[in-house]
Amino acid sequence: MTDTNAALSPDPAGLSLDDLRALRQQLQHEDDVVSYARRVAQARLDFVKSEHARRNAGPDADLKEQIGSVLSQHLTGGPARPPRPTADLSDNALADELDAVCAEHHFGRLDDLDDAELLALADAIGNFETRVSSDRRERFDRLDALSAELVRRYRDGEASVDSLLTD
């Protein structure tokens, strides 16, 4: 999902204040979607790793016992940026793509997969997560540039805080 338009992004200094704010808001929404897909991919990858660890721990180990641990790591881990309230993001192209990857590799039946299938599933989810993380880093760079331009405009008096109250 790497944004091929990242290199073609407009120079923040050349945007009107309204366009600058709108583009920043759009990128923040896109980041919410990308972040959601990334967290779900990481959680699913942790489930695969937990299944692999369970197999190495012996026949009495139970994957279900590890569910709370895996989910708590992803629900309570602090993101680098403060979370923003969002709508349900489970119905988007990235979530659908991840679901398709997991379905293709039989994520729903982890305990039935042989070791080679488990490794293939881990690789597929890992590749998805790596690609989504790369896209997210590029989006952060763009968001940071837009935010820096907004700060500069407020600091230099080109934009007024009062304009935020009228918008």
Side-chain angles (χ1 to χ4, degrees), residues 11 18 21 28 33 36 50 59 61 72 79 86-87 89-91 100 106 118 120-122 127 132-133 142 145:
D11 177 13
D18 288 341
R21 287 178 181 156
Q28 284 176 329
V33 171
Y36 170 83
S50 292
S72 69
T86 60
L89 299 175
S90 61
D91 186 26
H106 311 291
L118 198 62
L121 173 59
N127 290 337
V132 170
S133 290
R142 293 172 62 202

Side-chain angles (χ1 to χ4, degrees), residues 69-131:
S69 173
V70 169
L71 290 177
S72 69
Q73 291 173 12
H74 293 281
L75 296 176
T76 60
R81 294 173 186 253
R84 291 176 303 279
T86 60
D88 177 13
L89 299 175
S90 61
D91 186 26
N92 66 67
L94 280 176
D96 292 344
E97 181 183 349
L98 178 59
D99 287 344
V101 166
C102 288
E104 177 184 343
H105 293 278
H106 311 291
F107 177 83
R109 52 183 192 87
L110 283 179
D111 52 349
D112 294 336
L113 299 178
D114 64 32
D115 288 343
E117 291 170 321
L118 198 62
L119 180 59
L121 173 59
D123 286 346
I125 295 172
N127 290 337
F128 174 87
E129 192 277 334
T130 298
R131 186 172 47 84

Side-chain angles (χ1 to χ4, degrees), residues 47 50 54 60-72:
F47 280 122
S50 292
R54 181 198 65 80
D60 294 332
D62 185 4
L63 176 63
K64 292 175 186 170
E65 292 176 8
Q66 297 176 19
I67 289 175
S69 173
V70 169
L71 290 177
S72 69

